[in-house]
Amino acid sequence: MTMYLPQMAKIVKIIRENPQIKTFVLEFRDKEYNKSFSYEPGQFMMVSVPHCGEAPISFSSSSTRPGTIELSVRLAGKLTGAMHRLQPGAMVGLRGPYGIPFNMKELADQNLLFVAGGIGLAPLRGVINYCLDKGGYGRITLLYGSRSPDDIAFKTDIDLWRKNGVDCRLSVDTATEGWDGQVGVVTTLLSGLEIERPRSSLVCGPPIMIRFLLPELSRMGFRDREIITTMERHMKCGIGVCGHCHLDNRLVCVDGPVFDLAQLKELAVEELGELT
Amino acid sequence: MKGLILKKDNLVPLLRKIRKGGKLVAPVQNRHGDTLFEVIDDLDRQQLDLEHQAQSSLKPFFFPQNDPLATYNCAEDYSFEPVVSAEPTVYFGLRSCDLTAVLYMDVIFSQNGADTLYFARRKEAILISLGCNQPFAHCFCNNTGSGPFLEYGFDLQFTDLGDSFYVEADRARGEELLERWSYFFTPADEDDRKKQYQAVLEARSNFRRTVHVDPAVKRLAADPDLQPVWRELSDRCQDCGGCAYICPTCTCFTIVDQPLAETHGIRLRQWDSCTFSGFTRMAGGHNPVNHAEQAIRRRFLHKLKIDVEKHGRPSCVGCGRCVDICFGGVDMIRFIAMVNDLKLPAEEK
Ligand SMILES: Cc1cc2nc3c(=O)[nH]c(=O)nc-3n(C[C@H](O)[C@H](O)[C@H](O)COP(=O)(O)OP(=O)(O)OC[C@H]3O[C@@H](n4cnc5c(N)ncnc54)[C@H](O)[C@@H]3O)c2cc1C
Ligand code: SF4
Ligand code: FES
């Protein structure tokens, strides 16, 4: 059981990122545990909310800023809905960290292209902050697609990143009045973009976005190993036992969620279609 | 260690003694004529059945269908209390396939850290298997390397020699049990050993079916994309989950909270099945697995391909239970036959 026993954590702050997304700043109740807790970019936690079971949520914070962790949650259903109704001071259960993180050592010195759609920016936010805090990474470019200007999340972060030299380019599927930026799916932001080697792209978003993006990146000359993405699957245990997160012969919770295109090409991934 | 002999007349007295010292589980025929593994309370009342194949396996004893992981409290604070329950138990009369299945579960539940609940029960268990002189109608354990008799893995293995059992131990706990109740047993002589050997040989030729497991495994390793097979079997699958529930090696589960009141509840681990359409469904209804065509792909590939890659052998133990349970014929034997009958692309021309 111990492996399924959550650690209790208190919500110390809630940041509303957009109408659907809230960032929960959390602190483990056990002070020692809180102090020694550590994780890596791209990993996730299984989150418990009273009567709602558990759901996997990625870290949107970076371990370079210890003391609290942050989970950004999109309102999607029962558990995420209940979590959105919680107030600061309330407790949630957390177990983890789980999953294979982004290989930050291998990415060192590279120019990094981040591409995010919607809630997909949550995990990448952790990675970007990790890179900025640690230093030792090349130029950072972020392409971020949202449905509408109102849906753009993490605005404070984006402002800060810009100040720190991150090239942030935003697009919206549908513009509203006052939007003078790019309109269209996030792939439209790729045109004219030049990222010099050594380079990698880190992609996070809905399956449909990933499906269209991967071939685009290949066309731009990114090698398979330079295209890194995260796969999402229904998860129950997070530790490779329950079987729910199967992706061909892998289990996303322990063999992922981070995969590069070279790995994905070896697998039959239905939602990505034929990967060539 | 040398074999021992237990006269059949001594079996029930031995089991009575064992039961006094702890829990005893054995196959029992109930009043409906079903043979199921049951906790033995009363050997006079419960009809021990060593003639028929138990319809259930030992899976529910180590990995119950509804297994409380913890209780939770969410009145003012939110907290979890672990639940662990296990008591010394002797399991008697399981067949070689079921024992092999338990050994497989040992592997599954020790991935990424030993599963506390499972191993609490497992550590308290003594497994006494009974080899199959006469395999049952749908058995094919000879083709999956899990019977009809085993060389190792059991605490004790019984072989039926007519009016007595030949008894051998493989693990310390089995030997301890033999020592403890030594007065029920006599040393086996050369003749007994010959008879045992003979029984094992004969059993191998007593199978009513030959299921070509190895060729199917090879075929799947080379080309797991058998669209016509997936489509036909998925079409006939009625989403009942019976095959997964009855299968001694299907261990997929879900975790759910069961509220008991506003303020508290239980977190349960429950059997699940990859053949259920909800198994992979995500928030908003998106499902990365096309259920209509792929529902049963996972089940068969997991058993005959992925586990071969991961653990070196298929995780079907050839018990044949899924043959009995599925009216749609979506069972292992049918699947293997379909795979082997499929023409290779090269042959199609
Ligand atoms: C590795 C990983 C990281 C994730 N990171 C984030 C994140 O940072 N922020 C965020 O908002 N969302 C994230 N998700 C998605 C999030 O887990 C789902 O939105 C959430 O589980 C939905 O639960 P619900 O009860 O609100 O939805 P419901 O639709 O009510 O859920 C119904 C059932 O489906 C299950 N379920 C539904 N979708 C998923 C899913 N995608 N994964 C696992 N189980 C699911 C739930 O457990 C529940 O049992 C992540 C998913 C994965 C796999
Ligand atoms: S797949 Fe069928 S034959 Fe094989 S172990 Fe499971 S129930 Fe028995
Ligand atoms: S979530 Fe249970 S195996 Fe991956």
Side-chain angles (χ1 to χ4, degrees):
Chain A
M1 168 61 212
T2 35
M3 62 213 301
Y4 293 110
L5 205 62
Q7 288 284 333
M8 307 321 293
K10 189 165 94 181
I11 301 174
V12 292
K13 197 174 155 196
I14 299 173
I15 306 161
R16 174 164 289 286
E17 306 285 2
N18 76 11
Q20 296 87 35
I21 303 174
K22 284 182 177 177
T23 295
F24 295 84
V25 183
L26 299 150
E27 201 176 71
F28 289 102
R29 177 158 61 191
D30 184 330
K31 291 246 163 5
E32 280 307 306
Y33 192 87
N34 198 58
K35 222 169 162 182
S36 59
F37 185 80
S38 136
Y39 59 96
E40 290 175 67
Q43 289 191 296
F44 65 92
M45 295 294 273
M46 293 301 292
V47 181
S48 294
V49 176
H51 302 311
C52 295
E54 293 180 294
I57 303 289
S58 306
F59 292 99
S60 63
S61 55
S62 161
S63 59
T64 46
R65 302 172 190 186
T68 54
I69 59 171
E70 292 175 22
L71 302 174
S72 301
V73 178
R74 186 177 68 96
L75 203 164
K78 188 170 159 232
L79 184 142
T80 51
M83 192 155 175
H84 268 238
R85 288 191 294 275
L86 295 178
Q87 300 298 321
M91 289 280 177
V92 296
L94 297 177
R95 59 182 180 91
Y98 297 129
I100 305 268
F102 289 102
N103 188 338
M104 297 313 293
K105 280 213 185 81
E106 209 169 280
L107 296 176
D109 297 325
Q110 298 193 22
N111 294 315
L112 300 179
L113 171 65
F114 291 87
V115 189
I119 185 68
L121 185 52
L124 294 184
R125 172 187 188 245
V127 189
I128 294 172
N129 284 335
Y130 181 96
C131 294
L132 294 176
D133 291 352
K134 285 260 177 183
Y137 295 88
R139 243 192 99 65
I140 298 179
T141 309
L142 167 68
L143 312 182
Y144 175 38
S146 306
R147 255 185 264 158
S148 77
D150 286 341
D151 291 312
I152 296 171
F154 307 106
K155 288 199 190 75
T156 327
D157 295 281
I158 293 169
D159 287 343
L160 269 173
W161 293 335
R162 283 188 164 136
K163 281 189 193 130
N164 282 295
V166 178
D167 180 359
C168 300
R169 307 184 185 193
L170 275 48
S171 74
V172 297
D173 298 349
T174 15
T176 48
E177 240 185 66
W179 175 257
D180 53 9
Q182 184 84 31
V183 180
V185 292
V186 73
T187 36
T188 55
L189 293 170
L190 286 173
S191 65
L193 198 69
E194 297 268 346
I195 311 281
E196 274 173 36
R197 284 221 163 84
R199 64 180 178 184
S200 283
S201 57
L202 288 73
V203 180
C204 238
I208 184 83
M209 176 195 110
I210 296 177
R211 181 175 183 152
F212 285 105
L213 202 70
L214 298 185
E216 289 290 332
L217 290 169
S218 301
R219 221 163 290 144
M220 282 174 69
F222 278 89
R223 298 184 186 122
D224 291 351
R225 294 287 313 273
E226 295 171 345
I227 303 175
I228 308 160
T229 185
T230 60
M231 298 305 298
E232 203 177 305
R233 278 289 182 280
H234 188 130
M235 291 184 179
K236 285 299 174 186
C237 72
I239 51 175
V241 192
C242 77
H244 277 268
C245 66
H246 67 83
L247 177 72
D248 202 349
N249 62 357
R250 309 295 177 92
L251 294 167
V252 173
C253 67
V254 287
D255 299 321
V258 174
F259 292 93
D260 66 33
L261 185 54
Q263 290 174 301
L264 291 178
K265 280 185 175 174
E266 307 258 301
L267 307 174
V269 188
E270 208 171 309
E271 70 263 40
L272 297 184
E274 281 291 314
L275 293 170
T276 45
Chain B
M1 88 154 263
K2 296 253 161 61
L4 293 174
I5 291 295
L6 176 73
K7 288 264 167 256
K8 279 195 174 165
D9 290 344
N10 275 335
L11 177 65
V12 170
L14 170 68
L15 294 179
R16 261 190 238 287
K17 290 282 185 199
I18 289 175
R19 207 198 72 74
K20 282 212 176 111
K23 213 157 109 176
L24 173 68
V25 170
V28 165
Q29 191 168 65
N30 66 18
R31 62 196 166 89
H32 311 291
D34 300 328
T35 300
L36 300 163
F37 281 100
E38 273 185 16
V39 175
I40 304 289
D41 298 311
D42 183 350
L43 275 162
D44 294 324
R45 205 175 44 77
Q46 284 158 294
Q47 179 62 47
L48 201 65
D49 182 2
L50 302 179
E51 296 304 311
H52 303 96
Q53 181 181 27
Q55 280 136 288
S56 59
S57 73
L58 285 189
K59 178 169 83 171
F61 292 90
F62 297 110
F63 169 51
Q65 182 162 10
N66 284 291
D67 200 8
L69 292 173
T71 56
Y72 62 86
N73 201 305
C74 49
E76 262 148 45
D77 212 356
Y78 184 29
S79 61
F80 288 83
E81 277 299 318
V83 180
V84 179
S85 60
E87 52 185 308
T89 307
V90 172
Y91 297 88
F92 174 75
L94 59 147
R95 304 300 177 135
S96 304
C97 54
D98 288 345
L99 194 129
T100 308
V102 174
L103 300 180
Y104 168 78
M105 286 199 289
D106 288 352
V107 173
I108 295 308
F109 286 111
S110 51
Q111 296 177 110
N112 305 299
D115 188 281
T116 326
L117 277 175
Y118 176 84
F119 282 102
R121 298 178 183 122
R122 193 58 182 92
K123 285 199 183 98
E124 298 282 7
I126 295 181
L127 302 177
I128 305 179
S129 65
L130 171 63
C132 298
N133 298 36
Q134 184 53 63
F136 304 104
H138 302 310
C139 291
F140 57 104
C141 61
N142 56 331
N143 301 123
T144 51
S146 41
F149 288 81
L150 295 176
E151 315 252 298
Y152 58 86
F154 45 83
D155 291 308
L156 293 177
Q157 175 170 255
F158 278 41
T159 306
D160 191 336
L161 298 186
D163 53 4
S164 64
F165 292 108
Y166 183 91
V167 180
E168 49 197 323
D170 182 56
R171 305 243 161 128
R173 271 179 299 188
E175 283 176 21
E176 280 159 25
L177 191 141
L178 291 181
E179 250 159 61
R180 170 111 203 259
W181 308 111
S182 58
Y183 56 87
F184 285 109
F185 300 90
T186 53
D189 60 23
E190 200 43 46
D191 193 40
D192 297 322
R193 264 187 288 281
K194 273 198 193 125
K195 275 203 224 154
Q196 196 264 348
Y197 185 66
Q198 198 58 35
V200 173
L201 278 189
E202 276 173 25
R204 283 198 207 133
S205 55
N206 282 345
F207 281 88
R208 280 168 256 182
R209 296 173 172 267
T210 309
V211 178
H212 299 285
V213 178
D214 285 342
V217 165
K218 286 207 186 83
R219 178 76 199 263
L220 290 169
D223 175 21
D225 268 322
L226 313 166
Q227 293 316 334
V229 178
W230 307 138
R231 223 171 288 129
E232 179 175 338
L233 292 181
S234 297
D235 199 31
R236 295 201 67 186
C237 173
Q238 295 300 308
D239 220 8
C240 77
C243 54
Y245 286 6
I246 206 73
C247 178
T249 62
C250 268
T251 50
C252 286
F253 60 82
T254 183
I255 297 175
V256 297
D257 281 355
Q258 195 178 78
L260 296 176
E262 190 80 7
T263 52
H264 62 280
I266 319 175
R267 176 157 293 173
L268 287 172
R269 166 158 74 186
Q270 289 179 329
W271 290 355
D272 207 339
S273 169
C274 61
T275 57
F276 287 146
S277 55
F279 193 74
T280 47
R281 195 190 299 129
M282 302 201 294
H286 168 71
N287 198 334
V289 175
N290 173 348
H291 195 69
E293 295 194 358
Q294 309 264 301
I296 47 73
R297 182 176 190 265
R298 172 71 188 168
R299 177 174 161 77
F300 292 119
L301 282 190
H302 187 187
K303 292 216 184 296
L304 296 188
K305 176 171 183 286
I306 295 167
D307 276 335
V308 174
E309 293 165 5
K310 267 196 178 166
H311 309 299
R313 51 159 300 160
S315 56
C316 169
V317 293
C319 72
R321 289 189 178 96
C322 53
V323 179
D324 279 322
I325 204 141
C326 185
F327 64 80
V330 189
D331 60 68
M332 190 50 95
I333 293 180
R334 163 85 63 99
F335 173 71
I336 287 173
M338 283 175 83
V339 170
N340 288 329
D341 283 351
L342 257 195
K343 290 212 168 12
L344 288 165
E347 296 165 352
E348 260 164 20
K349 281 167 227 150

